[in-house]
Amino acid sequence: DSTFVEAVVLRVAGFEAEQIEPGHSYSGKGFPFLTTDAIDFLCKDLGMKHLLINLPSVDREDDDGALLNHRAVFRFPAGTEAPDIESLRAGNGKLPLFTVTEHCAIPQSAAE
């Protein structure tokens, strides 16, 4: 059975906001990202709706635009077109609410 988790906050060491210079670019730097297994665990096993993370992206920088981890959070299967807003509203008139917030300033003092 899936446990329901509304939101998950992940802070990765080395990406603390107070250590990052304003305007710093991560492009071409090979920053860390989440594995698809990690995202599947959060979304499928825990039922997570919202992900807040201090990394520049949950996906690899060089994934040819696949954005597999973003698609998993938003429940868009890989290899399919993301539905338009009207398609998402079909049925109950409301958009599903899943979010990814990247490059968050998560203080080291945040509870674990």
Side-chain angles (χ1 to χ4, degrees), residues 9-11 15-18 52-54 104-110:
V9 178
L10 292 175
R11 181 175 42 82
F15 285 85
E16 289 80 7
E18 56 272 9
L52 296 93
I53 191 165
N54 65 334
C104 290
I106 304 167
Q108 290 184 0
S109 62

Side-chain angles (χ1 to χ4, degrees), residues 43 49 69-76 88 96-100:
C43 296
K49 287 185 169 187
N69 290 337
H70 281 86
R71 295 178 73 79
V73 172
F74 299 127
R75 287 30 174 209
F76 297 147
L88 291 171
L97 186 56
F98 302 109
T99 63
V100 176

Side-chain angles (χ1 to χ4, degrees), residues 9-59:
V9 178
L10 292 175
R11 181 175 42 82
V12 177
F15 285 85
E16 289 80 7
E18 56 272 9
Q19 296 176 342
I20 299 170
E21 296 291 324
H24 179 78
S25 173
Y26 287 98
S27 183
K29 303 274 184 2
F31 55 80
F33 56 92
L34 297 180
T35 64
T36 52
D37 287 341
I39 288 289
D40 283 347
F41 172 75
L42 293 170
C43 296
K44 293 177 181 175
D45 295 345
L46 298 183
M48 176 196 73
K49 287 185 169 187
H50 311 286
L51 175 61
L52 296 93
I53 191 165
N54 65 334
L55 294 177
S57 180
V58 295
D59 283 295

